[in-house]
Amino acid sequence: MIASLRPSHAARHHQGEGTYVESRTGTAVGGTAHAEPVSVPELLNRTRALCTPPLRAAVARLAAPMDTVAAYHFGWIDRDGTPVAGDGGKAVRPTLALLSAQAAGAPAEAGVPGGVAVELVHNFSLLHDDLMDGDETRRHRATAWTVFGPAQAILVGDALATLGTEVLLDAASTGGASPADAARAVRLLNTASRRLIDGQAMDVAFEQRDTVTVAECLEMEGGKTAALLSAGAALGAVLAGADERVSDSLQRFGDHLGLAFQAVDDLLGIWGATEVTGKPHWGDLRQRKKSLPVAAALAEGGAASRELAEQLADPAGRGEESETELAARALLIERAGGRAWTQEEARRQHTTALAALDEVPMPDVVREHFVALAEFVVVRER
Ligand SMILES: CC(C)=CCC/C(C)=C/CC/C(C)=C/COP(=O)(O)OP(=O)(O)O
C-alpha cells in the first residue's frame, strides 16, 4: 500500500481498493446518455468483455507457433495449451480508449479498435521488455521468452505491433470509422509507438550511467510509458471523428496520467509486494534502473544521496548484489527522499492530467469514469 498516495480528499464515492464510484442499479456501461457511474473493476471488466474477442481474432491471424505464444502471454492458455483464465493485465489503456470514444459522444464500442490496437502495442512492448530485462515472471507466471525462447518472444512482439495498425485500418473497411479518421488513428498510434521505443532506448542506456537527472528520467518515462496511455486516451475520440482540439486535450490528459502511472510503477518496482505485482522482487534495483525514486534521491545531495551515488558508480558487484544489499539500497533511496518525492510527483501529474480533462466537454458520467480510473492509477498496488 502506498499510503501517502491516497488523497486526503478521497474520490467522492471511494469504497476501497480500486472502487471509487459505487455501482448503482440500471447501469448502461456501454452507452453515455443517462448512464449511471460504475466501479473501476466493472469498467475494466466491460473493457475486457468488449476487447477480448477482437483481440483473440487479431491473435488468431498469427502463424503457428506465434498464435500459441501470444495466447500464452495474454493468459488464455497455459504452457501445455490448456485454456485458462489467466491474468491478461489490468486493461487500463483500452479502458481509456473506450472512455475516449464516449467523451466524443459515441458509444464505448466505437473505441474498441483503438483499445485493441493500443493493447496489442502495449503487449509487444512487454514481450520485448521482459527479454531485455531478463525478467522471468510477469502477471504471476513465467514470461513468454522463458517458456518459448527469446526468438519466438521477439517475433510475437514484432507481429503484435503490426497487428495494431491492421486493427485500426480494419475499422475503416468495416465501416466503424471513416477512412480519414482511421488514418489519423494509425498516425497517432505510430507516433506513440516510436515515442515508446525512444523511451525504452533511453531507459536501457541509463542503466549503464552512474546518474541521471530527474528531467532526463521524466523524458524517458514520458516515452516508454506515457506515450501509450496518451494514445489510448485519444484513439477512441479520433475514431469517433472528434476534432483535433478534443483529441489534443485527451492526449495531454493521457500523457500526464501516464507519468503518474509510471511514477507509481517505479514505487511498486522497489516497495511493491511481488505477490501482488506479479513481477520479480528488486528487479529495478538489481539492474541499476534510473527510475524516478533513484533520480530524485541522487538529486537530493545529502549523506544518503551521496552514498547511493557511490554505490551506483561502483562497477563491482553489478547484478550480483544480495537481497540484503538491495534492501539497504532501497533504504538509502528512501532516506534521501526519493520515495516521498515520487509519491508527490505521481499526485502532481495526476492533478495536471485532470486539468487537461477539464478542457474537454463530455457527459458527466464519462467524466466520472475518467476521474475514477485516474484515481485507480495512482493508488493501485499492481
Ligand atoms: C519498446 C519496448 C520494449 C518498450 C518497453 C516499455 C515498457 C515495458 C515500459 C513500462 C510500461 C509499464 C509500466 C508497463 C506495465 O503496464 P501495466 O501495469 O498496465 O501492465 P498490465 O497490462 O500487465 O496491467
Side-chain angles (χ1 to χ4, degrees), residues 210-218 220-221 263 266-267 270-271 289-302 304-306 308-309 312 332-346 348:
D210 297 341
T211 186
V212 300
T213 65
V214 166
E216 286 174 318
C217 185
L218 286 171
M220 175 270 285
E221 298 194 345
D266 287 350
L267 291 165
I270 303 176
W271 294 284
K289 290 263 184 208
K290 305 303 177 301
S291 64
L292 265 190
V294 173
L298 288 171
E300 191 257 357
S305 171
R306 290 196 302 274
L308 175 68
L312 294 178
L332 278 183
I333 296 168
E334 187 158 5
R335 287 208 189 112
R339 185 178 191 175
W341 188 90
T342 305
Q343 288 169 337
E344 288 155 17
E345 178 65 7
R348 278 192 292 272

Side-chain angles (χ1 to χ4, degrees), residues 172-263:
S173 57
T174 56
S178 76
D181 291 335
R184 262 176 80 201
V186 168
R187 182 175 291 278
L188 197 153
L189 186 69
N190 271 0
T191 304
S193 301
R194 211 173 51 248
R195 280 181 63 201
L196 160 81
I197 292 163
D198 290 348
Q200 177 75 351
M202 289 176 81
D203 194 23
V204 171
F206 288 175
E207 284 175 31
Q208 303 308 319
R209 281 175 45 180
D210 297 341
T211 186
V212 300
T213 65
V214 166
E216 286 174 318
C217 185
L218 286 171
E219 187 188 347
M220 175 270 285
E221 298 194 345
K224 81 164 183 176
T225 304
L228 276 193
L229 273 90
S230 175
L235 273 172
V238 166
L239 290 169
D243 72 40
E244 233 168 76
R245 261 185 329 164
V246 166
S247 58
D248 284 355
S249 294
L250 286 170
Q251 271 196 269
R252 217 165 38 256
F253 160 72
D255 266 318
H256 289 288
L257 189 66
L259 285 170
F261 188 99
Q262 185 58 48

Side-chain angles (χ1 to χ4, degrees), residues 89-90 93 122 125 129 139 200 224-225 261-262 265:
K90 293 180 289 298
R93 295 158 191 78
H122 167 55
S125 79
D129 187 58
R139 297 172 177 163
Q200 177 75 351
K224 81 164 183 176
T225 304
F261 188 99
Q262 185 58 48
D265 220 70

